[in-house]
Amino acid sequence: MSIRIRFSLEPKKKIFSGVIWNLQNAERMTKSLVKEMGYHCYRIEGFLLVQLCPEGYIWFQWNKNKLQGESQTNIAGPGFHVAVIEFLERLAEIEKLKLKVEDRTGFYVKRDFLAMRQKYFYQWFSDLVDLVSKWNQSEEYMFCWPAIYYIPERQEEKLITHIRAFSFKELKGMTNSGMSVAFARDFFVWNEVEKDAWFYRNSALVLLNQFCYFMPSERSRQDKNINKEIIDLLETAISMDDKIPFPKKEYLEVCSLHDHKPVDLSGTVLLCEDCIGCRKHLVYRKIGSMSFGIPGNFLYDEADYGIMDHYYDGNLYGGHDYYIYAAVFKGREAEFKKQWFEQGTVEETMEFPVGDAKARVAFYEPESKTNEVLYGVSAQVIYKEQRMNINIISRRPEEKDWALDLIKSIRITE
């Protein structure tokens, strides 16, 4: 069961400091405090989303002349739970608002952090570890994963979480030893009231595990920002506690990608190796009733407004382009479209099943462009009423099997 804070904010009096109480002013007040406290905020589908830390969000929505919202705190941790309440109280105090809070942990009323953490967060974590240790490894491989981003590829004998992958052996050891609570600070991003070394290290782990492309910073602004933030967080952590278990291998790799001189790590306690970084593998995104795999280091092209989604790694870093979209034909079965396979001189075609779906692929003869040769592949995958259309472009020969494996990675996920 998740741990949540629900709240509402409204003026204490009808006369409200000469300011009209409406959605625009309520959001302006919230954004002003966000900026002052160094947090971040975004607009998402009618909500104002305030981010206090990785995996730590507060959702605000205007409803019935009130600013209402909630925050799920059990993933980010007990320190984040406290930070949410402090943010809401500060906003209410500055803007002279009446704050109502629903907090089943009792912290809002009693302010007993240790009791709240032990009874609710550590118990929730202990129950979770006990549950997961009984899972069938062949079926489940994720928990507490923010599926809104993408679905990571399965890692052998490991359970993937928001912060890193845990081996099933490691999780069973936690349960059998009765030391689940001791491992909680490796799981919660914000485990203490203050932002200690574990907070900064764990914040970096979330970025490393979910968002880092492990590509040179010079490739894109996105790579540069992510790499820099990871380095800053990890170096803050090690400066506060040089004995904290540290992802040395990943830190040195990101420093190399960012052309940054690493700090001295002599005597550093190593965090487990080869368990951090979902984007080192394939990642899966969903369209309709199908999920498709793309290399985790591919960027999504925000500037391409064409009909197809475009993913790429850049000409200097592999030279691949992956274009995809889907169509649904309500009331009739999808069929292969002959014209889709007429985008060049066809060298070879093939058909094969992809689970319960059917795929058709055409490989084209190399096409010479300005200063480069393009190797193109067109594919369609059909399942019931849905047809998925794919184009893959490579700039190196002998990548036919690579492109074919991507098409074969498509899953039915209805």
Side-chain angles (χ1 to χ4, degrees), residues 22 28 42 45 57 106 120 144 158 188 228 256 267 309 346-347 357 378:
N22 56 23
R28 176 185 57 78
Y42 318 90
E45 298 179 354
Y57 303 92
Y120 288 91
C144 300
K158 291 178 181 176
F188 293 121
K228 181 180 186 305
S256 176
D309 286 345
V346 176
E347 194 172 60
S378 291

Coordinates of all heavy atoms in Angstrom, one line a residue, residues 22 28 42 45 57 106 120 144 158 188 228 256 267 309 346-347 357 378:
N22 N -7.3 32.9 -7.8 CA -7.7 32.1 -9.0 C -6.6 31.2 -9.3 O -5.5 31.2 -8.7 CB -8.1 33.0 -10.2 CG -6.9 34.0 -10.5 OD1 -5.8 33.7 -10.2 ND2 -7.3 35.1 -11.2
R28 N 1.1 30.9 -9.6 CA 2.2 31.9 -9.5 C 2.9 31.9 -8.1 O 4.1 31.9 -8.0 CB 1.7 33.3 -9.8 CG 2.8 34.4 -9.7 CD 2.2 35.8 -9.8 NE 1.1 36.0 -8.9 CZ 1.2 36.3 -7.6 NH1 2.5 36.4 -7.1 NH2 0.2 36.6 -6.9
Y42 N 6.7 21.6 -13.4 CA 6.3 21.3 -14.8 C 4.8 21.4 -14.9 O 4.1 21.1 -13.9 CB 6.8 19.9 -15.3 CG 8.2 19.6 -14.8 CD1 8.4 19.0 -13.6 CD2 9.3 19.9 -15.6 CE1 9.7 18.6 -13.2 CE2 10.6 19.6 -15.2 CZ 10.8 19.0 -14.0 OH 12.0 18.6 -13.6
E45 N -0.7 17.9 -18.3 CA -2.1 17.5 -18.4 C -3.0 18.0 -17.3 O -3.7 17.3 -16.6 CB -2.2 16.0 -18.5 CG -1.5 15.3 -19.7 CD -1.6 13.8 -19.7 OE1 -2.1 13.3 -18.7 OE2 -1.2 13.2 -20.7
Y57 N 7.6 13.9 -6.0 CA 6.8 14.9 -6.7 C 5.6 15.2 -5.8 O 5.0 14.4 -5.1 CB 6.3 14.3 -8.0 CG 7.4 13.9 -9.0 CD1 7.8 12.5 -9.0 CD2 7.9 14.8 -9.8 CE1 8.8 12.1 -9.9 CE2 8.9 14.4 -10.7 CZ 9.4 13.1 -10.7 OH 10.4 12.7 -11.6
G106 N 0.4 10.2 10.5 CA 0.3 10.9 11.8 C 1.4 12.0 12.0 O 1.4 12.7 12.9
Y120 N 5.9 3.2 9.4 CA 5.2 3.2 8.1 C 6.2 2.9 7.0 O 6.0 2.0 6.2 CB 4.6 4.6 7.9 CG 3.3 4.7 8.7 CD1 3.4 5.3 10.0 CD2 2.1 4.3 8.2 CE1 2.2 5.4 10.7 CE2 0.9 4.4 9.0 CZ 1.0 5.0 10.2 OH -0.1 5.1 11.0
C144 N 8.4 -1.1 -8.1 CA 8.6 0.4 -7.8 C 9.3 1.1 -9.0 O 10.0 2.0 -8.8 CB 9.4 0.6 -6.5 SG 8.6 0.0 -5.1
K158 N 17.9 -10.6 -11.8 CA 17.9 -9.4 -11.0 C 16.5 -8.7 -11.1 O 15.8 -8.9 -12.0 CB 18.9 -8.4 -11.6 CG 20.4 -8.8 -11.4 CD 21.4 -7.8 -12.0 CE 22.8 -8.3 -11.8 NZ 23.8 -7.4 -12.5
F188 N 15.6 4.0 -0.4 CA 14.9 5.3 -0.3 C 15.9 6.4 -0.8 O 17.0 6.4 -0.4 CB 14.4 5.7 1.1 CG 13.3 4.8 1.5 CD1 13.4 4.0 2.7 CD2 12.1 4.7 0.9 CE1 12.4 3.2 3.2 CE2 11.1 3.9 1.3 CZ 11.2 3.1 2.4
K228 N 26.5 15.9 -16.2 CA 27.0 16.9 -15.2 C 26.3 16.8 -13.9 O 26.9 16.8 -12.8 CB 26.8 18.3 -15.8 CG 27.3 19.4 -14.8 CD 27.1 20.8 -15.4 CE 27.8 21.9 -14.5 NZ 27.3 21.8 -13.1
S256 N 34.6 10.4 -17.8 CA 35.3 10.3 -19.1 C 34.4 10.8 -20.2 O 34.8 11.6 -21.1 CB 35.6 8.8 -19.4 OG 36.2 8.7 -20.7
G267 N 40.5 4.4 -1.3 CA 39.9 4.0 -0.1 C 38.4 4.0 -0.1 O 37.7 3.7 0.9
D309 N 7.4 8.7 -34.9 CA 8.4 9.0 -33.9 C 9.8 8.7 -34.4 O 10.0 7.6 -35.0 CB 8.0 8.2 -32.6 CG 6.8 8.7 -31.9 OD1 6.4 9.8 -32.2 OD2 6.3 7.9 -31.1
V346 N 14.4 -3.2 -53.5 CA 14.4 -4.2 -52.5 C 15.5 -5.3 -52.9 O 15.6 -5.8 -54.0 CB 13.0 -4.9 -52.5 CG1 13.0 -6.1 -51.5 CG2 12.0 -3.9 -52.1
E347 N 16.2 -5.6 -51.9 CA 17.3 -6.6 -52.0 C 16.8 -8.0 -51.5 O 17.2 -9.0 -52.0 CB 18.5 -6.1 -51.2 CG 19.8 -6.9 -51.5 CD 21.0 -6.2 -50.7 OE1 20.9 -6.1 -49.5 OE2 21.9 -5.8 -51.4
A357 N 1.9 -12.0 -33.3 CA 1.9 -11.1 -34.4 C 2.6 -11.6 -35.6 O 3.3 -12.6 -35.5 CB 2.4 -9.7 -34.0
S378 N 12.6 -1.5 -44.1 CA 11.2 -1.2 -43.8 C 10.6 -2.5 -43.2 O 10.9 -3.6 -43.6 CB 10.5 -0.8 -45.1 OG 10.9 0.4 -45.5

